[in-house]
């Protein structure tokens, strides 16, 4: 009788050990596989949107007879900017001009530190693949950014994960937020850039890959452009040849 009881306990212990080992193996294999698939999906959607944006840029340039990389940041509000350079040249499902409720949730997005942004975006368009392009302008600096939600409101809506930033720069009219020498010492091309801006209004994609790891980071103190911690993450992805490396704050 005691032997049977001992055997039963041993069997339960064996099953428990096998179950724990099975779970460990499952997480070791399936979690990295899931993350890899998710990362590939993010990259694929980003490349698709980038291609569409470049196509819109070319069509505007042809229609207006202006250089491809020229953007007038001073004369346009966020809505006027979007309507001028993008909306007519993209396949658009929905336009949010005043109220943003059809394009974004009440909390439009969060950054990597969990900070919530509710009224940052003032003009948006939804593409046929449900991606949302939102435009915002900092009235103090005159800087205009495009905040892209690659999967609409269905995803996490977190900066650096499924929400990314494109910025625009006109080399003929630097922001004048820092000393003039700062802009002269940087090679900054006019046009659209990957990621947001630093405190001088310089696009993040002029930074090195290692420098971008310091800004696209959950431990970063704050975002210098006011868009949230993680606004530089698209610049990090692009500088790594459109890959998400092991240091990325996934």
């Amino acid at each position: 009788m005691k032997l049977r009881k001992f055997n039963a306990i041993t069997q339960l212990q064996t099953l428990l050990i096998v179950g724990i080992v099975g779970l460990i193996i499952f997480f070791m294999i399936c979690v990295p596989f899931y993350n890899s698939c998710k990362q590939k999906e993010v990259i694929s959607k980003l490349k698709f949107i980038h291609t569409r944006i470049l196509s819109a840029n070319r069509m505007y340039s042809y229609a207006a007879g202006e250089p491809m990389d020229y953007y007038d940041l001073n004369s346009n509000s966020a809505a006027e900017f979007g309507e001028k350079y993008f909306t007519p040249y993209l396949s658009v499902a929905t336009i949010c001009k005043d109220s943003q409720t059809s394009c974004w949730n009440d909390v439009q997005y969060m950054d990597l530190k969990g900070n919530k942004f509710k009224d940052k975006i003032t003009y948006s368009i939804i593409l046929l693949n449900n991606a949302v392009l939102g435009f915002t302008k900092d009235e103090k600096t005159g800087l205009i950014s495009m905040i892209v939600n690659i999967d609409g409101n269905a995803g996490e809506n977190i900066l650096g994960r499924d929400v990314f930033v494109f910025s625009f720069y006109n080399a003929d009219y630097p922001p004048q937020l820092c000393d003039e020498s700062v802009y002269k010492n940087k090679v900054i091309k006019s046009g659209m850039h990957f990621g947001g801006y630093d405190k001088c209004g310089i696009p993040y994609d002029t930074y090195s890959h290692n420098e971008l790891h310091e800004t696209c980071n959950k431990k970063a103190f704050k975002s210098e452009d006011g868009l949230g911690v993680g606004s530089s993450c698209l610049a990090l992805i692009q500088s790594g040849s459109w890959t998400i490396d092991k240091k990325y704050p996934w």
Side-chain angles (χ1 to χ4, degrees):
M1 192 72 174
K2 290 182 179 180
L3 182 61
R4 288 181 181 179
K5 185 175 181 181
F6 177 77
N7 288 338
I9 293 173
T10 303
Q11 289 175 358
L12 286 173
Q13 290 175 335
T14 302
L15 288 173
L16 181 62
I17 292 170
V18 170
I20 292 172
V21 172
L23 283 173
I24 293 172
I25 294 173
F26 173 82
F27 282 108
M28 287 178 65
I29 296 175
C30 293
V31 171
F33 177 75
Y34 171 78
N35 287 337
S36 176
C37 291
K38 190 174 182 180
Q39 290 168 6
K40 288 178 181 178
E41 182 183 12
V42 168
I43 297 298
S44 176
K45 289 181 177 180
L46 280 172
K47 285 184 174 181
F48 175 84
I49 293 169
H50 181 232
T51 300
R52 292 297 180 272
I53 292 172
L54 289 180
S55 177
N57 183 226
R58 282 192 292 269
M59 285 190 282
Y60 169 80
S61 175
Y62 178 78
E66 292 184 355
M68 276 190 62
D69 294 327
Y70 177 82
Y71 290 100
D72 182 359
L73 305 177
N74 297 322
S75 304
N76 296 293
S77 65
E80 291 168 338
F81 186 86
E83 289 180 327
K84 180 177 181 179
Y85 293 107
F86 293 98
T87 305
Y89 310 104
L90 292 167
S91 297
V92 176
T94 305
I95 298 174
C96 295
K97 188 170 183 179
D98 296 316
S99 172
Q100 298 298 303
T101 54
S102 297
C103 295
W104 301 85
N105 292 327
D106 179 45
V107 175
Q108 294 175 337
Y109 65 93
M110 294 188 293
D111 71 1
L112 289 175
K113 296 181 80 71
N115 298 311
K116 298 178 180 180
F117 295 81
K118 293 186 176 183
D119 302 310
K120 182 65 67 176
I121 299 156
T122 56
Y123 175 82
S124 305
I125 54 179
I126 301 179
L127 305 183
L128 295 181
N129 70 338
N130 292 324
V132 185
L133 311 185
F135 297 86
T136 180
K137 182 173 185 177
D138 188 320
E139 297 303 330
K140 292 182 180 179
T141 64
L143 300 176
I144 294 178
S145 304
M146 178 195 296
I147 300 175
V148 178
N149 189 338
I150 62 174
D151 50 15
N153 292 325
E156 297 176 282
N157 303 329
I158 297 177
L159 204 58
R161 295 187 183 178
D162 58 350
V163 177
F164 299 89
V165 178
F166 288 91
S167 55
F168 303 91
Y169 192 85
N170 190 325
D172 293 333
Y173 302 97
Q176 298 181 349
L177 299 175
C178 296
D179 188 81
E180 188 177 348
S181 62
V182 173
Y183 306 99
K184 289 184 177 180
N185 292 333
K186 274 271 191 180
V187 179
I188 314 171
K189 296 181 180 179
S190 293
M192 184 177 68
H193 288 261
F194 299 94
Y197 306 89
D198 68 8
K199 64 181 180 181
C200 295
I202 295 174
Y204 276 125
D205 62 6
T206 62
Y207 282 52
S208 70
H209 192 72
N210 288 334
E211 287 174 324
L212 289 169
H213 270 298
E214 298 299 317
T215 56
C216 177
N217 194 316
K218 294 177 182 178
K219 296 180 180 179
F221 177 65
K222 64 178 181 179
S223 65
E224 295 178 332
D225 53 17
L227 299 177
V229 174
S231 68
S232 65
C233 289
L234 181 57
L236 177 63
I237 291 173
Q238 192 272 336
S239 71
S241 300
W242 291 98
T243 58
I244 296 176
D245 60 31
K246 293 181 179 179
K247 292 183 180 180
Y248 191 84
W250 199 254

